[in-house]
Amino acid sequence: MGEQPIFSTRAHVFQIDPNTKKNWVPTSKHAVTVSYFYDSTRNVYRIISLDGSKAIINSTITPNMTFTKTSQKFGQWADSRANTVYGLGFSSEHHLSKFAEKFQEFKEAARLAKEKSQEKMELTSTPSQESAGGDIQSPLMPESINGTDDERVMPEVTQNSEPRAEPPQNALPFTHSSTISKHWEAELATLKGNNAKLTAALLESTANVKQWKQQLAAYQEEAERLHKRVTELECMSSQANTVHTHKTELNQTIQELESTLKKKEEEIERLKQEINSARELQAQRDSLTHKLQVDYISNTLISENELEIHHWQIPVKSNMLSMGREIENRNKDLEDQLSDLEQRLEKSQNEEEAFRNNLKTLLEILDGKIFELTELRDNLAKLIECS
């Protein structure tokens, strides 16, 4: 499987100043990803963080390490192999506590792995010690443990074992030496097989590290892109607040215009009623004028004698003439009123038409703003789904 990330978080990375050993030196300009990695082949836990293509943290967790919380959002640990002290600044106390819990968990796992490794080494070395128990001074023991040039050294040791000044009672028989030689040859073959396996595992781990670096670079690019997208959407969100305020103002303006339009329509209805009344008066005036003309013509046909005979009718005629003048004056006033009402009606109709055009323009603007808000909402929904 190789080395795989098992926990990740974001933090600002620091290292202790190598000169003063007191001040912190930031190794990243902004918060970067800090991850725990587990190598199943070597059973090792590491803390790794990259800033671009540069590794700013590469610390192997050992049982003697300790992660210390120095504040609510800052923690540190010392790495003797790297000869430095790492510090991490988190955005919240929760992230710091989570990182510290994982550190303690993986530290305990590293301790257990080390104990199991030691037990395996002890079990592996036990048969070798028992087989070599008959020859305490045998020179094969150090060479087999180190695992270097066993095949070439062992025959020389067997041949040179006779000249040694060994007591006769401790000298090994030839058959026993042959058995020991075969045993160490088997041990050598086992060590070579383990060495080949470790070499293959190392090559696989190196390939996995390269692949992981490529994936990490791709993830960082994706994170930067998403960060820029979030910034853009935040700007769009601020614009959306402005658009919402503008929309509220437009709604208020539309309500005011609708109220004004309603008043104008009521005034137009009243003017129409007044025009109808004026037209009725105009009809009455025409009827009276026609009647007066007929009476006047009939009266002019009366002769002077009839006027003398009917001199008592003169006051009646004069009254009719004065009534005709009064009607004419009233007719003129009604014509003036009718003309004024027609002008007012035309003016009101023009104002209503202009108002309707303005209202139509405002509605078009409002539709555009609503479309922009809908598009912004869709973008925010997509961002939430992606994250």
Side-chain angles (χ1 to χ4, degrees):
M1 295 296 293
E3 195 171 26
Q4 298 293 333
I6 53 178
F7 177 78
S8 297
T9 185
R10 291 185 67 84
H12 291 269
V13 180
F14 300 86
Q15 285 189 11
I16 201 71
D17 190 346
N19 297 323
T20 63
K21 299 295 183 179
K22 294 181 179 180
N23 301 325
W24 289 106
V25 178
T27 57
S28 62
K29 295 181 180 179
H30 50 80
V32 296
T33 302
V34 182
S35 303
Y36 286 100
F37 277 79
Y38 174 63
D39 188 348
S40 58
T41 305
R42 298 185 298 161
N43 203 10
V44 172
Y45 295 87
R46 290 200 300 165
I47 302 174
I48 297 176
S49 178
L50 296 180
D51 188 6
S53 60
K54 178 184 177 183
I56 55 179
I57 298 179
N58 185 4
S59 177
T60 302
I61 299 177
T62 59
N64 59 351
M65 281 187 177
T66 302
F67 185 82
T68 306
K69 298 179 183 179
T70 57
S71 67
Q72 293 182 350
K73 297 182 181 181
F74 194 87
Q76 65 184 46
W77 78 96
D79 189 344
S80 59
R81 296 184 180 181
N83 193 22
T84 187
V85 179
Y86 293 104
L88 295 179
F90 295 88
S91 59
S92 65
E93 186 177 359
H94 172 72
H95 290 85
L96 173 61
S97 299
K98 190 69 176 177
F99 188 88
E101 291 175 2
K102 292 294 181 180
F103 192 98
Q104 186 64 28
E105 176 184 346
F106 300 145
K107 171 186 172 182
E108 183 66 19
R111 184 184 66 79
L112 295 175
K114 185 176 180 180
E115 291 178 355
K116 289 181 180 179
S117 177
Q118 290 177 351
E119 290 177 358
K120 289 182 180 179
M121 291 178 64
E122 291 175 357
L123 291 174
T124 305
S125 61
T126 301
S128 301
Q129 293 175 359
E130 290 177 352
S131 63
D135 187 8
I136 299 175
Q137 299 178 357
S138 175
L140 298 177
M141 180 68 71
E143 294 294 330
S144 63
I145 293 174
N146 294 331
T148 58
D149 298 333
D150 292 341
E151 292 180 349
R152 184 172 54 83
V153 173
M154 287 176 187
E156 294 177 2
V157 172
T158 305
Q159 295 174 3
N160 296 331
S161 60
E162 294 180 358
R164 288 180 177 270
E166 299 289 344
Q169 63 271 17
N170 293 333
L172 294 175
F174 177 77
T175 55
H176 192 70
S177 299
S178 178
T179 303
I180 295 174
S181 178
K182 290 180 180 180
H183 171 74
W184 290 120
E185 287 177 357
E187 289 286 338
L188 178 62
T190 303
L191 289 173
K192 285 184 177 181
N194 291 335
N195 189 23
K197 291 180 180 179
L198 289 174
T199 303
L202 180 61
L203 293 175
E204 182 182 359
S205 177
T206 305
N208 289 333
V209 167
K210 291 181 180 179
Q211 182 180 3
W212 173 80
K213 286 182 178 179
Q214 293 176 356
Q215 292 179 354
L216 184 60
Y219 290 155
Q220 286 180 341
E221 291 178 358
E222 182 68 15
E224 291 294 333
R225 186 184 66 79
L226 290 175
H227 181 70
K228 291 180 181 178
R229 184 59 179 167
V230 168
T231 305
E232 292 175 359
L233 289 175
E234 287 176 351
C235 295
M236 293 175 67
S237 178
S238 62
Q239 293 177 359
N241 294 331
T242 306
V243 171
H244 181 70
T245 305
H246 193 194
K247 178 184 175 182
T248 304
E249 295 176 354
L250 286 175
N251 289 332
Q252 293 177 354
T253 305
I254 289 173
Q255 291 177 357
E256 294 176 357
L257 292 174
E258 288 178 348
S259 177
T260 306
L261 178 61
K262 187 176 180 180
K263 291 180 180 179
K264 291 290 183 181
E265 289 176 350
E266 292 176 353
E267 185 177 357
I268 288 172
E269 290 294 329
R270 184 177 59 79
L271 290 175
K272 286 181 179 179
Q273 292 177 359
E274 291 181 359
I275 289 172
N276 291 331
S277 300
R279 287 176 179 174
E280 291 177 358
L281 292 174
Q282 179 72 19
Q284 292 178 4
R285 187 204 65 170
D286 294 340
S287 176
L288 290 174
T289 302
H290 179 69
K291 185 177 180 180
L292 287 174
Q293 289 177 355
V294 172
D295 291 339
Y296 180 75
I297 292 172
S298 62
N299 289 329
T300 54
L301 296 175
I302 300 173
S303 61
E304 294 180 357
N305 293 328
E306 289 176 349
L307 290 172
E308 290 178 0
I309 294 171
H310 303 285
H311 62 85
W312 55 275
Q313 295 179 354
I314 292 174
V316 175
K317 293 179 180 178
S318 61
N319 290 334
M320 291 179 68
L321 291 174
S322 62
M323 184 177 179
R325 294 190 189 96
E326 183 178 354
I327 290 172
E328 289 179 355
N329 293 331
R330 185 178 179 186
N331 186 17
K332 187 176 180 181
D333 293 338
L334 288 174
E335 288 179 352
D336 293 337
Q337 291 180 5
L338 181 61
S339 177
D340 183 44
L341 288 174
E342 289 177 350
Q343 291 177 0
R344 289 170 61 187
L345 178 61
E346 184 179 0
K347 183 178 179 182
S348 297
Q349 290 177 345
N350 293 333
E351 290 179 353
E352 183 181 2
E353 185 68 23
F355 175 76
R356 289 181 183 276
N357 292 332
N358 292 332
L359 185 59
K360 184 177 179 181
T361 303
L362 287 173
L363 288 175
E364 290 177 354
I365 295 173
L366 182 59
D367 290 338
K369 297 298 182 182
I370 291 173
F371 177 77
E372 292 177 0
L373 286 172
T374 304
E375 186 178 5
L376 175 61
R377 180 187 175 279
D378 294 339
N379 291 331
L380 290 173
K382 290 178 181 179
L383 177 61
I384 292 171
E385 290 177 357
C386 292
S387 61

